[in-house]
Amino acid sequence: MKRAFVTGITGQDGSYLTEFLLSKDYEVHGIIRRASTFNTGRIDHIYVDPHEPNARLFLHYGDLSDSEQTSNILYNIKPDEVYHLAAQSHVKVSFNMPEYTGNVTGLGTVRLLESIRRSGNETKFYQASSSEMFGRTASPQNEESAFSPTSPYAVAKVYAYWMAKNYRLGYGLFACNGILFNHESPRRGEIFVTRKITMAIASIIAKKQQYLYLGNLEPKRDWGFAPEYVEVMWKILQQETADDYVVGTGEQHSVREFVDQAFSYVGLKWDQYVRTDPKYFRPTETEDLVADSRKIKKTIGWAPKIRFSELVKIMVDADLRRAGLATIGEGDEFLRKQFPNRWWKTD
Ligand code: NAP
Ligand code: GDD
């Protein structure tokens, strides 16, 4: 049985990836942060009491700012694969907490790489790199495009990217960068723009909220569906040689288009509900992202099934359902058709 160690297991991607790895018969270990309230909501449905003989998911307290603990876990577990997904992952927050973001998102990666190197184990390493690293570089972006980061988050991710590459070149570590473009889902964190929009729509329909306050509506993103992206993470580590890959749909839309499509889907005119609040603008913005994913398509034959318009519907449907406002919508129907035997069980 293969053994994986997942950092960021409680996040959007970590939760889907863990579900995927369990479906592939892995034993999965993850770190969770000690908090005064439970932060395991996204993985509760797959958690089995570790005393049970069939338990294959094990959680350990740990934090990326503490190398001793993660190093001990790595030493004791001796994983075949490490998926390093934990990060202070919010771009706007990184402007408010640049030092913390550098410590966790940048140095946190080196702490893990160094622990693996010192352990001497044959452990493969996946680094969650980001399209945000391209910043001001003209689109479409691919593996050859220059990095031009426009936020403390992106700067920290560029540092982590090069560290992963340095450990590959310098020490022969099987370390790979997945440079993923934005990917969303009903499990997306509530303060990322897509989820903020779809949750607000449910609240507006339920008459619990009157307006949705947003920042800059002009930036363009390449939005995909998170479960499809975590499968790619796994495939990247199954290749013969370690390498770096750009992953995205190749389709670009603005924040304004996302808002428009989401409100239109429920029969509302977005401009009657959306207001601007300057506090959501960023000191510097990444305006124009869209992936040129030819390399990953050629290497593993990957092509996304869920495109922008379906993604919007899937997310709106899920938030309407959570609010008790609807049961099955067009997005749900589409998901069922595209993934009849899907390995993830809940929203
Ligand atoms: P997310 O939902 O924000 O999850 C972040 C995870 O990191 C959570 O499990 C969080 O734990 C954990 N974490 C944060 N600070 C930590 C610390 N100091 N020590 C230990 N764990 C810590 O992010 P995501 O969307 O799943 O993204 C996963 C990774 O991919 C991130 O590295 C992100 O930067 C990168 N990425 C994401 C996208 C995207 O569009 N989603 C695109 C490119 C790259 P808590 O639950 O305790 O907060
Ligand atoms: N969060 C947020 N909230 N964003 C807003 C808002 C708002 O109220 N109003 C407008 N936006 C704009 C942002 O300025 C940005 O241009 C765009 O919406 C998307 O913002 P986010 O959803 O916060 O995502 P992101 O693109 O900044 O970062 C995400 O994708 C990266 C990959 O490119 C995160 O998941 C990062 O961790 C990831 O690396």
Side-chain angles (χ1 to χ4, degrees):
M1 185 187 292
K2 272 197 178 176
R3 191 172 289 164
F5 178 54
V6 180
T7 71
I9 196 165
T10 55
Q12 172 189 256
D13 291 5
S15 65
Y16 281 120
L17 177 67
T18 300
E19 222 165 333
F20 178 71
L21 293 173
L22 292 173
S23 80
K24 293 232 160 261
D25 288 332
Y26 275 66
E27 178 179 301
V28 182
H29 294 256
I31 48 166
I32 56 169
R33 294 195 282 178
R34 195 269 153 182
S36 66
T37 50
F38 286 118
N39 54 5
T40 52
R42 292 189 180 101
I43 49 172
D44 284 346
H45 65 289
I46 45 173
Y47 189 71
V48 174
D49 183 335
H51 303 98
E52 295 290 322
N54 61 343
R56 282 188 291 117
L57 170 58
F58 302 94
L59 301 176
H60 312 260
Y61 283 111
D63 195 294
L64 287 181
S65 60
D66 174 21
S67 54
E68 197 173 337
Q69 174 61 353
T70 43
S71 172
N72 283 342
I73 296 170
L74 278 168
Y75 181 80
N76 291 326
I77 295 170
K78 299 185 179 35
D80 301 287
E81 295 165 10
V82 171
Y83 295 88
H84 176 38
L85 310 183
Q88 190 305 92
S89 69
H90 200 278
V91 174
K92 177 64 169 59
V93 171
S94 78
F95 287 100
N96 305 109
M97 303 175 74
E99 182 185 334
Y100 175 80
T101 303
N103 185 17
V104 168
T105 304
L107 285 176
T109 304
V110 187
R111 294 184 181 110
L112 284 176
L113 286 165
E114 190 55 11
S115 300
I116 295 172
R117 184 186 74 80
R118 286 192 193 178
S119 75
N121 295 334
E122 297 269 317
T123 301
K124 294 180 175 181
F125 183 83
Y126 175 89
Q127 165 61 17
S129 285
S130 165
S131 54
E132 184 68 17
M133 302 189 307
F134 294 120
R136 294 214 162 129
T137 297
S139 71
Q141 293 94 0
N142 63 28
E143 295 78 6
E144 306 305 319
S145 303
F147 297 137
S148 177
T150 56
S151 64
Y153 164 80
V155 172
K157 281 285 184 185
V158 170
Y159 173 76
Y161 167 95
W162 282 113
M163 275 299 185
K165 205 153 170 157
N166 186 255
Y167 274 66
R168 179 165 87 218
L169 299 173
Y171 304 115
L173 219 83
F174 195 106
C176 305
N177 284 288
I179 307 174
L180 272 49
F181 283 60
N182 297 49
H183 45 278
E184 319 292 310
S185 73
R187 290 189 201 169
R188 184 57 142 154
E190 290 88 345
I191 60 167
F192 296 97
V193 78
T194 55
R195 188 75 201 292
K196 187 172 165 184
I197 296 164
T198 59
M199 284 174 67
I201 287 174
S203 292
I204 288 168
I205 294 175
K207 304 219 178 307
K208 290 185 178 157
Q209 181 175 340
Q210 199 174 359
Y211 297 114
L212 164 63
Y213 289 91
L214 292 175
N216 192 348
L217 301 184
E218 306 315 324
K220 299 189 184 90
R221 292 288 182 274
D222 176 339
W223 279 293
F225 184 49
E228 298 196 86
Y229 286 56
V230 303
E231 288 196 31
V232 180
M233 295 175 186
W234 176 76
K235 284 193 173 143
I236 285 174
L237 288 198
Q238 311 314 309
Q239 300 307 302
E240 287 276 299
T241 47
D243 207 344
D244 308 319
Y245 301 91
V246 154
V247 182
T249 68
E251 191 177 328
Q252 189 188 58
H253 296 273
S254 65
V255 176
R256 185 186 297 277
E257 285 173 271
F258 194 104
V259 173
D260 184 18
Q261 289 244 4
F263 276 83
S264 302
Y265 178 50
V266 295
L268 297 177
K269 286 197 180 341
W270 70 271
D271 48 2
Q272 293 178 4
Y273 301 95
V274 174
R275 298 275 188 275
T276 301
D277 184 338
K279 89 171 176 207
Y280 297 119
F281 280 73
R282 298 161 184 194
T284 42
E285 179 61 89
T286 293
E287 299 284 353
D288 172 26
L289 292 177
V290 64
D292 164 8
S293 304
R294 279 176 294 176
K295 181 173 170 181
I296 195 79
K297 276 179 192 143
K298 197 168 164 209
T299 311
I300 64 167
W302 183 76
K305 291 180 178 169
I306 304 292
R307 316 294 296 208
F308 177 76
S309 61
E310 291 89 37
L311 176 68
V312 173
K313 290 176 185 171
I314 289 165
M315 292 183 71
V316 173
D317 282 352
D319 276 321
L320 291 179
R321 202 169 38 250
R322 277 189 183 127
L325 295 165
T327 47
I328 305 292
E330 283 174 36
D332 298 309
E333 294 290 1
F334 191 81
L335 261 187
R336 281 182 192 189
K337 261 191 218 137
Q338 289 296 326
F339 304 96
N341 304 311
R342 68 193 206 199
W343 44 261
W344 67 96
K345 300 294 174 232
T346 69
D347 291 337

